[in-house]
């Protein structure tokens, strides 16, 4: 056995077993169970349990609350993703252009994304309240705030959560873009500058192509995260007012673990899973085609 | 291409303004937690501000916040240590051995890494019930002891270091355990530091799983307690801000000490994952 370091040893199975056990028990099993349970009308409290086939899924598509949850989740994603990405790229470009004390500013901009979402949501609940600081800022700009604060108006609750999300996650994605920017060889810029390329031309010809792989990653990661929005809704609005901030994960929680309609909630979770997979695949395909 | 002094001053000013936007809400929380002077609508009454520790005193005397605080510390510490050991073990085997099904195991790590965690909250709840670990420390710890990101990071890191030292140890008759403990783990110190800080922070802040996997007050972690405190009639905004500050404090300390490790971890996860 000695000398052949690549062959499998008896201890190796032991070393792998914690991961294998986690994989089987806490990943594979829940995914399979989730699918199985979504085909039943399992209700934890009444103990109902019967195979109903695709009934739950048909019911979901006739459920106004669920449709509203899908709409809100899509609005949230489509609204935040481009803004967050643009802010992140701008911040990264700004920091990358040899700014003094760059490391310090980088840390400060990134800081909100290491703090617990619950903490951030609590602070913003207060900032968004009637008479709170956001309203005061709005009044300075000549805007009038909703009567009961931003989180208690159907018109402003979702946009308010979206704005907080953009504020919170821009620094996180900035960090990723900064890493991508720093891997671009300096000579490319020097060569472009030598040929008299303008700032915009340099950005288009040198920077953008190098940012593309990271852009693809950020867009997909951001979509997956956006589709899973839950904590903000739980802490700030509980899906209200009148379902205006109801999101898919909040719907899954409320149906499945609050009302204990396990089968119905699991069906919604599975649709979410399918939706995320579909969108990630589409984005991958779209951006790949554009890059080639 | 040296920046002019004026231009560079202007840029620093802009940088400071942006920094203020990112920091201001936390400053607001911090000031609020040390004062009692809040107007009815929830803004600080700057003219009547009085500095006090009563908000913090209340939390520990009346609301027993130390229970979730200790729970969070315990769970995050155990999960972090578990990941450091188990992810190294799995990463080592995946990096150094060739066996049937090895590619499949590696693929499972990457696939699982991409699965959105929130879609399995219901089966995780059922599983915890069936296993009889619902509302216990085991429910808060077991599912998170070996995170796919950690296995992936450790495999990548170990693949990149030469196997000479392990071979030398093996020739001298060291057991596989000794090799892991005495050779591999010390060589992996930088990666372990990055992974450790990352796992601790993610666990410290995590909300949804601790929330759905526990039900009693004595089992709550800090973020869960904080989110549920909000609904209490007896608590006011300065007290809530004091609790939020306590929850954010370890994050802030870790961030100041290890901000480079934290950013490295995120970038490593992104570039390789």
């Amino acid at each position: 056995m000695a000398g052949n370091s690549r062959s499998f040893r008896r201890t190796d199975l032991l070393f792998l077993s914690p991961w294998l056990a986690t994989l089987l028990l806490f990943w594979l099993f829940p995914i399979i169970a989730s699918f199985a349970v979504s085909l039943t009308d399992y209700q934890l409290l009444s103990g109902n349990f019967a195979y109903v086939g695709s009934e739950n899924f048909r019911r979901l598509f006739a459920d106004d609350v669920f449709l509203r949850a899908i709409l809100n989740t899509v609005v949230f994603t489509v609204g935040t993703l481009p803004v967050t990405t643009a802010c992140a790229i701008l911040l990264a470009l700004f920091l990358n252009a040899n700014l003094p004390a760059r490391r310090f500013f980088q840390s400060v901009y990134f800081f909100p994304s290491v703090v617990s979402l619950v903490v951030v949501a609590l602070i913003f609940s207060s900032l968004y309240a009637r008479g709170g600081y956001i309203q005061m800022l709005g009044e300075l700009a000549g805007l009038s705030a909703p009567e009961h604060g931003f989180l208690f108006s159907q018109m402003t609750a979702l946009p308010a959560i979206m704005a907080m999300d953009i504020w919170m996650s821009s620094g996180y994605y900035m960090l990723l873009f900064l890493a991508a920017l720093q891997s671009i060889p300096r000579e490319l810029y020097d060569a472009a500058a030598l040929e008299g390329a303008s700032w915009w031309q340099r950005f288009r010809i040198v920077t953008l192509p190098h940012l593309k792989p990271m852009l693809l990653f950020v867009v997909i990661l951001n979509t997956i995260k956006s589709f899973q929005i839950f904590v903000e809704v739980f802490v700030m609005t509980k899906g209200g007012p009148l379902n205006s901030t109801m999101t898919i994960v909040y719907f899954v929680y409320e149906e499945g673990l609050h009302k204990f309609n396990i089968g119905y909630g699991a069906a919604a979770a599975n649709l979410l899973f399918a939706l995320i997979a579909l969108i990630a695949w589409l984005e991958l395909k779209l951006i790949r085609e554009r890059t080639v | 291409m040296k920046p002019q002094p004026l231009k560079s001053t202007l840029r620093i000013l802009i940088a400071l303004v942006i920094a203020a936007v990112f920091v201001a809400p936390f400053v607001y929380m911090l000031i609020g937690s040390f004062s009692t002077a809040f107007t009815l609508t929830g803004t600080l009454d700057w003219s009547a501000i009085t500095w006090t520790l009563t908000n913090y005193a209340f939390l520990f005397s009346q609301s027993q916040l130390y229970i979730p605080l200790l729970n969070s510390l315990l769970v995050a510490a155990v999960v972090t240590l578990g990941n450091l050991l188990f992810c190294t073990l799995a990463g080592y085997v995946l990096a150094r051995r060739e066996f049937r099904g090895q590619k499949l195991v590696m693929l499972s790590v990457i696939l699982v890494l991409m699965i959105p965690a929130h879609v399995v909250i219901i089966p995780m709840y059922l599983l915890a019930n069936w296993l009889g670990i619902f509302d216990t420390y085991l429910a808060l710890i077991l599912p998170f002891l070996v995170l796919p990101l950690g296995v992936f990071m450790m495999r990548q890191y170990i693949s990149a270091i030469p196997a000479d030292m392990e071979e030398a140890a093996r020739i001298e008759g060291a057991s596989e355990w000794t090799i892991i403990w005495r050779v591999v783990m010390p060589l992996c110190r930088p990666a372990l530091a990055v992974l450790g800080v990352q796992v601790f922070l993610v666990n410290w802040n995590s909300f949804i799983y601790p929330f759905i996997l526990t039900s009693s007050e004595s089992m709550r972690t800090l973020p869960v307690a904080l989110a549920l405190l909000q609904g209490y009639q007896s608590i006011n905004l300065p007290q809530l801000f004091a609790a939020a500050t306590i929850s954010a404090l370890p994050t802030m300390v870790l961030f100041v000490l290890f901000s480079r490790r934290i950013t490295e971890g995120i970038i490593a996860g992104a570039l390789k994952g």
Side-chain angles (χ1 to χ4, degrees), chain A residues 8-45:
Chain A
F8 201 67
R9 278 155 222 275
R10 215 175 306 156
T11 44
D12 289 347
L13 195 59
L14 189 72
F15 289 175
L16 270 181
S17 57
W19 164 246
L20 292 178
T22 305
L23 175 72
L24 291 176
L25 197 57
F26 297 114
W27 289 99
L28 276 183
F29 175 80
I31 289 169
I32 296 166
S34 176
F35 186 69
V37 136
S38 72
L39 303 174
T40 71
D41 66 351
Y42 187 23
Q43 280 165 304
L44 201 66
L45 300 177

Side-chain angles (χ1 to χ4, degrees), chain A residues 5-9 11-12 27 30-31 97 103 107 109-110 114 116 126 130-131 133 167 228 235 260 265, chain B residues 11 15 21-22 28 41 43 46 97-99 112 115 118 122-123 125 167 176 205 230 251 255 259-260 263 270:
Chain A
S5 67
R6 303 202 67 84
S7 64
F8 201 67
R9 278 155 222 275
T11 44
D12 289 347
W27 289 99
I31 289 169
R103 275 218 150 258
S107 296
Y109 299 174
F110 168 68
V114 271
S116 150
S126 157
R130 191 168 68 104
Y133 283 103
W167 171 86
Q228 296 188 76
V235 174
F260 289 118
Chain B
R11 289 163 46 106
V21 171
F22 283 114
Y28 169 60
T41 53
T43 48
W46 294 95
R97 301 284 190 262
E98 275 165 5
F99 57 92
V112 166
I115 293 173
H118 289 24
I122 295 175
Y125 169 86
E167 282 307 305
E176 289 299 305
N205 289 337
Q230 192 202 14
T251 328
F255 190 73
S259 104
R260 191 167 277 195
T263 51

Side-chain angles (χ1 to χ4, degrees), chain A residues 1-9 11-16 18-20 22-23 25-27 29-31 33-34 37 42 44 91 94-100 103-127 129-133 136 166-168 170-172 175-176 179-180 186 193 202 214 217 224 228-231 234-236 238 249 252-253 255-257 260-262 264-266 269-270 272-273 276, chain B residues 1 3 8 11-12 14-16 18-23 25-26 28-29 38-39 41-46 86 89-99 102 105 108-109 112 114-127 129-131 133 142-148 151 163 167 170-171 176-177 180 201 204-205 207-208 211-212 223-224 226-228 230 237 240-241 243-245 247-248 251-252 255 259-260 262-264 266-267 269-271 273:
Chain A
M1 217 155 58
N4 186 1
S5 67
R6 303 202 67 84
S7 64
F8 201 67
R9 278 155 222 275
T11 44
D12 289 347
L13 195 59
L14 189 72
F15 289 175
L16 270 181
W19 164 246
L20 292 178
T22 305
L23 175 72
L25 197 57
F26 297 114
W27 289 99
F29 175 80
I31 289 169
S34 176
V37 136
Y42 187 23
L44 201 66
L91 285 174
F94 178 62
L95 287 185
N96 198 41
N98 56 68
L99 182 79
R103 275 218 150 258
F104 169 76
F105 286 115
Q106 173 188 327
S107 296
V108 174
Y109 299 174
F110 168 68
F111 181 65
S113 40
V114 271
V115 179
S116 150
L117 203 48
V118 176
V119 170
V120 172
L122 284 177
I123 301 174
F124 272 76
S125 294
S126 157
L127 290 175
R130 191 168 68 104
Y133 283 103
M136 287 163 116
I166 292 166
W167 171 86
M168 191 175 182
S170 291
Y172 180 85
L175 207 64
L176 301 184
R186 268 236 70 89
R202 281 192 306 243
M214 189 55 92
F217 178 75
I224 295 176
Q228 296 188 76
I229 169 181
F230 173 80
V231 180
F234 181 85
V235 174
M236 297 169 90
K238 300 274 193 292
V249 175
V252 171
Y253 159 74
E255 279 297 333
L257 296 173
F260 289 118
N261 297 324
I262 301 279
Y264 194 50
N270 288 344
L272 173 65
F273 198 177
I276 291 177
Chain B
M1 285 245 305
S8 131
R11 289 163 46 106
I12 291 184
I14 297 172
L16 284 171
I18 302 174
V21 171
F22 283 114
V23 169
F26 299 109
Y28 169 60
M29 168 187 77
F38 268 79
T39 64
T41 53
T43 48
L44 268 174
D45 185 357
W46 294 95
F86 296 136
L89 292 178
Y92 169 75
V93 176
L94 289 173
R96 290 288 192 248
R97 301 284 190 262
E98 275 165 5
F99 57 92
Q102 185 213 27
V105 177
S108 73
V109 176
V112 166
M114 295 193 292
I115 293 173
H118 289 24
V119 301
V120 290
I121 51 175
I122 295 175
M124 280 289 255
Y125 169 86
L126 294 176
L127 181 65
N129 270 317
W130 292 336
L131 292 175
I133 60 173
L142 275 185
F144 316 102
L145 268 183
V146 203
L147 296 171
V151 177
E167 282 307 305
R170 195 164 287 130
I171 287 162
E176 289 299 305
W177 261 113
I180 291 279
L201 279 179
W204 181 263
N205 289 337
F207 173 77
I208 193 161
F211 173 60
I212 62 155
V224 178
L226 197 57
L228 297 176
Q230 192 202 14
L237 199 57
L240 197 60
F241 276 0
T245 305
S247 165
T251 328
M252 292 183 187
F255 190 73
S259 104
R260 191 167 277 195
I262 296 168
T263 51
E264 268 174 35
I266 284 162
I267 291 164
L271 292 181

